[in-house]
Amino acid sequence: MHEACSPIHVNHVRDKLREIVGVSTNWRDHVKAMEERKLLQSFLAQSQKGLPPRRMKDSYIEVLLPLGSQPELREKYLTVQNTIRFGRILEDLDSLGVLICYMHTKIHSAKASPLSIVTALVDKIDMCKTSLSPEQDIKFSGHVSWVGKTSMEVKMQMFQLHGNEFCPVLDATFVMVARDSENQGPAFVNPLILESPEEEELFRQGELNKGRRVAFSSTSLLKMAPSAEERTTIHEMFLSTLDPKTISFQSRVLPPHAVWMEDSKLKSLEICHPQERNIFNRIFGGFLMRKAYELGWATACNFGGSRPFVVAVDDIMFQKPVEVGSLLFLSSQVCFTRDNYIQVRVHSEVASLANKEHMTTNVFHFTFMSEKEVPLVFPRTYGESMLYLDGQRHFNSMSVPANLRKDYLVEP
């Protein structure tokens, strides 16, 4: 499926996106650029049938992050422990996912793309068990693997050079949506032609992923009561916290080697400056992911008492765009633990300077692995019990729980 193409330098990905959409790097020109984008509405298809089908290889891209051959790039990606900042990798994956979708939906007759393509969901990022060195080149590759009428699933992989070959580091699945020129409503995307059994399997997997998301959403604890097994789990946890001396529902004591969930929280605040904007002058999704990840990492580090390593990122839903100038409130807490694993949930909400009302924009789910066994986390209220069960569900949906290894070094 993969067509040979020379890799794009990582620094040129955002430049290419600006070129495709026809926007300036100058913040002051953004109003003019957005006005000009209104004129592209005539290039939008009235139905999916009006668009030429595309192959998976049409959207295939390789991007090079030459940390080995260009040491000046390392500073941005370096942790104090001489490993790679995973938050920066999230930013690169987000930009690459959007570029891949623009390759799939390219209109040769238009000077700029009439589509506004945005990240709707990070379905899954699974880490392979391998170390990431800040001194070896990294390569990303990816392509569109499934399409609906207005949405596209993108599969991406990341590799790092070991000796003379690139070895897999992570697999990522993002879902992108196409919107019209002014980012006001949905827009149709090109259908996909499947050219081999391998591609048919990828497309089938995309359909299954969509079905799984719908099922996961319909059984959400915000909509439905927990299962009988989950209710038993919560009740047993509750019973184990009752004080045997008082025999009262009110008097609660922590079991040994345990922490109350409410004591595992960390919070942060970001002011969303123009520097962090995307090509549509909203805040770049990769920036939001990096900030949420770094707070999640700090939460896991604070809770476990040793350096945590990311194992999986799961089900990041972008519910609302974040406007430039907003105040971004991030709240992180440990919601489930098992052995060396820490499941962290980061909730993000925004408020404008003019309007004090807070609105949820994202909920992030991160699975970390600690160097040593971590305490159990206990809910005290019914709401916290639901967070615990939600964390358990996300933990159990991890593809393959990674084994704790010393070479597993991916940090903030």
Side-chain angles (χ1 to χ4, degrees), residues 83-118:
T83 58
I84 282 186
R85 291 174 65 181
F86 184 66
R88 290 293 188 199
I89 299 301
L90 289 174
E91 290 184 325
D92 292 340
L93 286 170
D94 194 47
S95 296
L96 175 59
V98 175
L99 183 57
I100 286 167
C101 290
Y102 274 119
M103 293 295 106
H104 177 80
T105 56
K106 208 172 194 175
I107 297 175
H108 298 285
S109 58
K111 185 164 68 86
S113 174
L115 298 178
S116 304
I117 293 172
V118 294

Side-chain angles (χ1 to χ4, degrees), residues 266 295-308 332 334 342 344 368 370 374:
L266 283 183
L295 182 64
W297 184 89
T299 304
C301 186
N302 193 41
F303 181 85
S306 67
R307 254 184 351 184
S332 171
V334 174
I342 304 170
V344 176
F368 292 97
S370 186
V374 297

Side-chain angles (χ1 to χ4, degrees), residues 41 99 102 106 109 129 134-135 140-141 147 152 191 198 259 293 298 303 320 330 332 335 350 355 359 374 379 395 409:
Q41 292 281 41
L99 183 57
Y102 274 119
K106 208 172 194 175
S109 58
K129 294 191 292 286
E135 291 163 18
F140 300 93
S141 69
V147 296
M152 294 162 277
E198 178 201 9
V259 174
Y293 171 78
F303 181 85
K320 282 191 170 56
L330 293 169
S332 171
C335 53
V350 290
N355 182 354
M359 296 178 81
V374 297
F395 178 80
L409 300 172

